[in-house]
Amino acid sequence: MDLGIGLPTSGRQADPEAIVRVALAAERAGLGAVWAFERLLRPAEAVFAGTDQSMPLPDNNALVYDPLETLAYVAAKTSTIRLGTSVVDALFHSPVVLAKRLATLDRLSGGRAVIGLGQGWMQQEFDATGIPARRRGAGFEEHLAAMRVCWGPDPVRFDGRFYTIPESEIAPKPTGLTLLAGAAAPAAIERAARLGLGLTVVVFAWDQLRQSAETYRKGGQGPLVAQVNGLITDRPLDERMPLTGSPEQVAEDLAEARALGVDHVFWHPFDGDPDEMVGRIQQLNTY
């Protein structure tokens, strides 16, 4: 297991100099990866696709830098640390365009890209991109298949229900691209395993992480990444989510996560100091 950190790409922390500073500090500290995420917009009221259920979005989702441009920028400033997305919502992009962008990032970074792909959940983002939310599931599978065709030998061709690629030469081809699926529901996790993807999950509770890991490991062979939307603090917490709290508390949690088969854990310090978090994550290596 290795550890990582989310870059300051959103909200008041979003700043090009801070992004590079944190990425370089993470690389010097020996962390495994830095991460970015995608959010196209922050509506007045975010609604779950296909439902009437709404969810307030935090202020840090008002400004979010594009993850792939950000990671390409970071790739030019770093040399060894992996560059991850958790996640890019594939359905909001043409498979040909996204395949070229991911392959370009992978080639420019020397094979360091670790790309988490999601299906999207917010109805307003589907509306803004002109994609029906009902395309999730089968449409995601076809999108992935179309991108994999783009990365295969030329000439490539794809004739699907949702996407068509005429016989063509498409380049560049990736050299070390690692693909993950951002998933939470058991059916989506099973799909990730069946499609040969790794898995990235946001951790809220131990029971949820255990169930996700168990479901995925029944058939999945790829990396299992745990995202923590919380902080490592300077003192113990009485009430806390998994993998948050003091370094001592988090070190104990990491042992349990490792036993579940988790390969990588990273923290998104949305409400914390990312520079300080790099030091606290590095400190975990002493436990």
Side-chain angles (χ1 to χ4, degrees), residues 119-200:
Q119 301 191 76
W121 64 268
M122 190 197 304
Q123 184 61 51
Q124 287 89 342
E125 288 187 319
F126 283 97
D127 295 341
T129 54
I131 302 297
R134 61 180 179 275
R135 189 171 295 184
R136 292 178 297 174
F140 177 79
E141 291 196 33
E142 187 175 300
H143 190 292
L144 177 64
M147 287 201 295
R148 283 172 163 165
V149 164
C150 293
W151 297 327
D154 291 320
V156 304
R157 182 184 183 93
F158 189 84
D159 295 291
R161 176 184 173 192
F162 306 106
Y163 304 107
T164 299
I165 303 172
E167 187 169 312
S168 312
E169 294 181 354
I170 297 178
K173 311 292 186 182
T175 59
L177 186 63
T178 300
L179 294 179
L180 315 170
I189 294 173
E190 291 171 356
R191 180 187 302 115
R194 175 168 53 81
L195 295 175
L197 302 172
L199 180 68
T200 175

Side-chain angles (χ1 to χ4, degrees), residues 72-118:
Y73 178 60
V74 170
K77 307 289 186 177
T78 58
S79 56
T80 58
I81 198 162
R82 299 194 304 278
L83 311 167
T85 67
S86 184
V87 295
V88 169
D89 292 312
L91 295 180
F92 301 153
H93 306 269
S94 155
V96 172
V97 175
L98 186 57
K100 285 181 68 73
R101 294 180 71 199
L102 296 181
T104 298
L105 173 62
D106 188 68
R107 295 298 289 263
L108 292 178
S109 68
R112 290 186 280 147
V114 183
I115 302 301
L117 299 171

Side-chain angles (χ1 to χ4, degrees), residues 207-246:
D207 286 347
Q208 168 245 343
L209 180 58
R210 291 188 190 98
Q211 182 179 14
S212 297
E214 181 180 346
T215 301
Y216 178 70
R217 289 304 184 197
K218 288 179 180 178
Q221 303 298 316
L224 176 52
V225 174
Q227 173 180 332
V228 184
N229 293 343
L231 301 177
I232 304 171
T233 58
D234 58 358
R235 57 177 56 89
L237 298 179
D238 294 330
E239 296 184 7
R240 63 190 182 94
M241 293 191 305
L243 298 159
T244 64
S246 69

Side-chain angles (χ1 to χ4, degrees), residues 39-63:
R39 174 67 62 234
L40 300 183
L41 46 84
R42 182 176 183 264
E45 184 179 34
V47 177
F48 286 94
T51 75
D52 295 326
Q53 183 180 356
S54 63
M55 185 184 81
L57 286 178
D59 290 343
N60 59 42
N61 276 207
L63 183 157

